[in-house]
Every structure is written in C-alpha cells, then in structure tokens.
Amino acid sequence: MRSEPVLPLQTALIGGYAMSYTEYGSGAPLVLVHGSLSDCRYWKSQMAPLGKSFRVLAVCLRRYWPETWDGEGGGFSIAQHASDVLEFIETVAGEAAHLVGHSRGGRVALEAALRRPDALRSLTLADPGLPLPGEDDLRGGFRQRALALIRQGEIEEGLALFVDTVTGPDTWQRMVPWFKEMVRDNVGTLFGQAEEKPETLTAQQIGSLTMPALLIGGALSPAPYPAVLDALASWLPEAQRVTIAGSSHGMNLGNPRAFNGALDAFING
C-alpha cells in the first residue's frame, strides 16, 4: 500500500504569527484549510495526488498544532483565520489561489472569499460548518458539553463526543492512530471554538460570489451538513456539487480518490 510522503513543516510570518504549513508540487496554488481539531496533516491524502497538477499548500491555522494552546489570549476566530488565509495567499502563494475549506475551515474560506474575491481563482466548500439563517445549533451545544468533559480531565470522552457528533456514531473509536494523535494535539482549540459566535451569513451575501464554486458532501454526512449544502446550492446556482460515495464528513480521508478526482476535474475541467 502506497504511503503519503512525509513533508517538512514550513513557517511563514503571517500577521505577526509564525504560521506553519506543508507544500507539495508545482503549478497554480491550491490552498487547503482544515476544520476543527485538525491541522495541515488532515490533508495528507491530498498532497501528492493533487500535487501532480497544483502547488498544494496545506495550512495550520493560528492556535492549532504545532502550537500547544491552552485557550489563553486572543487570535482564535473566524475573522482572524480568514485574515491569515488571505495574507498567506498573498505572501506565500504569491498569486490568486484555488481555496478549499473543510468543515469549520469552509466557514473560514467563505469569509475569505467574501472579503477578497480577487484573491481566489475558485472556492471549494466541503461540508462547511455554516449556521443557516434563523436556525440555532441543531446539535444542542455539543461543543460546550465536549469542552466540559475535557475540563474535567475526561479528554477521550470529550473528543469522542465532538468527533462522533460531526461525523457519526462510534467514529472516534474507529479512527486510526495518526488521526487521534492529531485531534489530541489540537484539543486546546476547543477552548476558543466554544466561545465563537460567528456572524450568520445571508443568502444575499453568499449569492454575491461570482468565482467558480464547488460544493462537496459526504454521502453519509450527518445533519446539518446536507441541509447546509442544499442552501448553498440554491444561493449559488452556478456552483457544481459532488457527493462522495461511501463517506461521511471526513470524505477526503474516507474516499480520497473520489475527493481528489472531483477537485481536479472541477478546477481543470
């Protein structure tokens, strides 16, 4: 079985912060933005395959690994992360980039696209974490419950609650060791995420985007992700939409061949 290349961790000074990232390949820049409890390692199955066509850059957002964060101090917000991604595109990519965001990273990517559409060649949102207008958290504050367990020292139980809620029952139990290690390395970011109250974007705001857009969902992704993609498809009628068979929320890991193929076809098609 072919293994992914081990890529060196690089850093760039972004907004006064030493932002880490990995890079593979050459061509038009393709920037990958991870979601909750993840970092650049989340994209390990994308780097070499997509690096055949693109200069793939996978970032570690501010306060995520390799930083060990205890929740003290600022700098953890959708707005800050979007600013960092845009500065990263400007200074490291050096030109307009194809931007891909997964889960919470999709919300970050969407914010970046709305703020600086000229910085993007295209926008891909994979099961983006996006509250719909007029809807509260349908999962009943699971972030706060997970964080309460972690604060009590029940870290495994808290992480299992979080991961299973966003991906499906018993996902944490089935996860491979490297994935669990990555999640544990980023447990401190839940302190920041539990306090987040990002602005709910409107249909008019999102509908103003004109760059090529791709919406990706997992065929087995739990609520609310399918409804979010339905809404985005109605607000962005020109967007392409792909469903990754046999996969839940982590579709880029569950079925990387289909995910990578869909992304390559969208950009190069």
Side-chain angles (χ1 to χ4, degrees):
M1 182 176 179
R2 186 178 59 83
S3 61
E4 293 88 358
V6 177
L7 302 176
L9 203 61
Q10 304 182 58
T11 59
L13 193 62
I14 303 295
Y17 180 80
M19 189 173 182
S20 297
Y21 67 98
T22 54
E23 178 177 349
Y24 194 90
S26 61
L30 174 64
V31 177
L32 306 176
V33 183
H34 62 82
S36 302
L37 294 171
S38 300
D39 51 58
C40 67
R41 294 172 290 181
Y42 182 74
W43 302 105
K44 61 187 297 183
S45 298
Q46 279 64 62
M47 302 302 291
L50 292 173
K52 296 175 183 177
S53 303
F54 309 101
R55 180 188 174 201
V56 186
L57 298 153
V59 301
C60 297
L61 294 175
R62 187 181 294 248
R63 299 303 194 184
Y64 286 84
W65 179 89
E67 180 180 358
T68 300
W69 191 46
D70 60 4
E72 294 299 317
F76 190 98
S77 69
I78 295 291
Q80 180 64 63
H81 289 152
S83 295
D84 290 345
V85 167
L86 288 169
E87 187 173 338
F88 181 87
I89 290 173
E90 182 176 353
T91 61
V92 179
E95 59 182 294
H98 300 286
L99 184 60
V100 180
H102 173 258
S103 198
R104 182 184 177 279
R107 178 64 178 83
V108 172
L110 193 52
E111 176 72 22
L114 289 167
R115 200 182 300 179
R116 284 283 312 279
D118 59 300
L120 273 61
R121 299 185 186 208
S122 71
L123 175 66
T124 296
L125 303 174
D127 268 358
L130 186 68
L132 297 174
E135 292 190 6
D136 295 324
D137 188 346
L138 298 178
R139 294 168 290 188
F142 74 96
R143 294 178 183 85
Q144 285 72 21
R145 296 201 307 275
L147 189 57
L149 288 168
I150 291 165
R151 283 178 168 146
Q152 295 165 18
E154 300 176 46
I155 295 175
E156 291 294 305
E157 292 81 356
L159 293 176
L161 171 60
F162 189 100
V163 172
D164 290 357
T165 302
V166 300
T167 306
D170 299 322
T171 300
W172 177 253
Q173 183 178 345
R174 298 194 306 269
M175 283 293 97
V176 293
W178 76 263
F179 185 91
K180 287 187 173 183
E181 178 183 1
M182 177 184 68
V183 170
R184 293 187 190 104
D185 285 342
N186 288 292
V187 66
T189 61
L190 283 185
F191 292 102
Q193 190 170 341
E195 301 301 319
E196 279 192 313
K197 292 181 176 59
E199 175 190 357
T200 299
L201 299 174
T202 66
Q204 290 75 21
Q205 286 174 296
I206 295 172
S208 70
L209 295 174
T210 58
M211 76 277 294
L214 174 64
L215 308 174
I216 305 182
L220 306 177
S221 293
Y225 299 110
V228 170
L229 290 175
D230 288 343
L232 288 171
S234 69
W235 300 337
L236 296 169
E238 300 302 316
Q240 298 182 37
R241 185 169 177 178
V242 174
T243 300
I244 304 300
S247 290
S248 183
H249 186 54
M251 77 292 288
N252 61 305
L253 294 172
N255 192 343
R257 183 183 296 272
F259 182 92
N260 298 342
L263 195 54
D264 193 32
F266 162 64
I267 297 175
N268 287 326

